[in-house]
Amino acid sequence: MYKTTFAELKTRAKNVLKSNYWYSFGVCILVSLITSLGTSVATVTNMVNSDAGSAGTSISAVLQILITLFVAFPLSVGSCRFFIKATVNAPNVYDLFFPYKNNLGNVIGINVFVAIYTFLWSLLFIIPGIIKSFQYSMIPYILAENPAMDRRRAFEVTKSLTDGNKGRIFLFSLSFFGWIILSCITFGIGFLFLEPYISASFTQLYFDLKAEAIAKGTVTPEEFTYNI
């Protein structure tokens, strides 16, 4: 089966961004600001409670966990939904907050299992954890289209999408290495402008992997396109 080249995926991403770049840029900035604010709150809380010893540290740790659960996890899915809609329809900033009104508990729960499984696989040395992270990398996109999908099926679908493609995902990630180096040279400012491009490109890869899995019959179209 023909696999879309990286150049073709990136060209498709650029076409999506032609009419949505600054909107996408703003959404990426908003996500960064919200997550950074949450992290800052946890850090300040830790500093304020530093004199409280282990109790203060525990408060900060619990706060960080809550921020991850109720901010980072839902926004990662919401961001994927935004870029999916940017490809097939008109995106909206409210897409970022889609999970909060659609099966939030399921979205958080599945992401928790992703984190746990990745950690446990990493205990078998780093490489298995990295391989599994590639296998689970499509889950935010899957939940962005169908937040009601149960946990077992979500892991089956992401496995179907990434079977035989983990190396491809890894190499696609590496293809942005040069841009990342340039962003580092600009003291990180370049990342602000690079993030929409990377997000749009990985969304195109997701569409490609999904089409391949549908063609194989391991997933069905009805499992996706949830109110897109």
Side-chain angles (χ1 to χ4, degrees):
M1 181 177 180
Y2 173 76
K3 292 183 182 292
T4 310
T5 66
F6 292 168
E8 290 171 327
L9 292 174
K10 292 178 178 180
T11 297
R12 277 162 40 183
K14 291 174 183 175
N15 289 334
V16 169
L17 291 175
K18 279 181 181 178
S19 57
N20 291 296
Y21 178 78
W22 290 111
Y23 200 1
S24 302
F25 175 81
V27 165
C28 290
I29 291 293
L30 181 59
V31 171
S32 297
L33 287 175
I34 294 174
T35 52
S36 296
L37 179 61
T39 302
S40 298
V41 169
T43 301
V44 171
T45 301
N46 186 45
M47 293 173 62
V48 171
N49 293 287
S50 59
D51 294 335
S54 60
T57 301
S58 298
I59 293 173
S60 179
V62 170
L63 186 57
Q64 186 61 64
I65 291 172
L66 291 175
I67 290 169
T68 300
L69 292 176
F70 293 99
V71 179
F73 286 164
L75 287 184
S76 68
V77 173
S79 179
C80 289
R81 183 173 177 84
F82 175 88
F83 282 97
I84 288 172
K85 286 191 68 176
T87 301
V88 301
N89 205 334
N92 192 300
V93 67
Y94 296 111
D95 292 322
L96 273 180
F97 309 104
F98 171 79
Y100 291 101
K101 293 184 178 181
N102 295 273
N103 300 92
L104 178 62
N106 190 54
V107 168
I108 293 174
I110 291 175
N111 275 284
V112 167
F113 275 97
V114 169
I116 292 173
Y117 291 161
T118 303
F119 171 73
L120 292 177
W121 278 103
S122 297
L123 295 179
L124 300 176
F125 299 111
I126 300 299
I127 299 300
I130 294 175
I131 293 174
K132 284 297 178 180
S133 69
F134 290 136
Q135 179 175 313
Y136 303 147
S137 64
M138 295 297 117
I139 281 186
Y141 295 96
I142 295 167
L143 293 177
E145 291 204 79
N146 188 353
M149 186 177 291
D150 68 75
R151 175 174 57 86
R152 178 173 296 181
R153 183 55 184 160
F155 279 95
E156 290 174 349
V157 172
T158 194
K159 186 176 185 298
S160 295
L161 267 61
T162 59
D163 269 355
N165 286 303
K166 297 182 189 68
R168 187 182 178 203
I169 296 171
F170 172 67
L171 292 176
F172 192 56
S173 302
L174 284 183
S175 71
F176 295 96
F177 187 71
W179 287 109
I180 292 173
I181 293 297
L182 288 176
S183 296
C184 291
I185 293 174
T186 62
F187 303 100
I189 296 176
F191 281 112
L192 299 177
F193 298 93
L194 179 61
E195 190 171 356
Y197 177 48
I198 292 179
S199 296
S201 297
F202 270 93
T203 302
Q204 298 309 310
L205 177 61
Y206 163 70
F207 275 111
D208 206 54
L209 298 181
K210 183 174 69 170
E212 183 179 316
I214 290 174
K216 290 179 179 177
T218 55
V219 301
T220 64
E222 291 75 22
E223 292 182 280
F224 304 95
T225 63
Y226 183 95
N227 290 333
I228 294 294

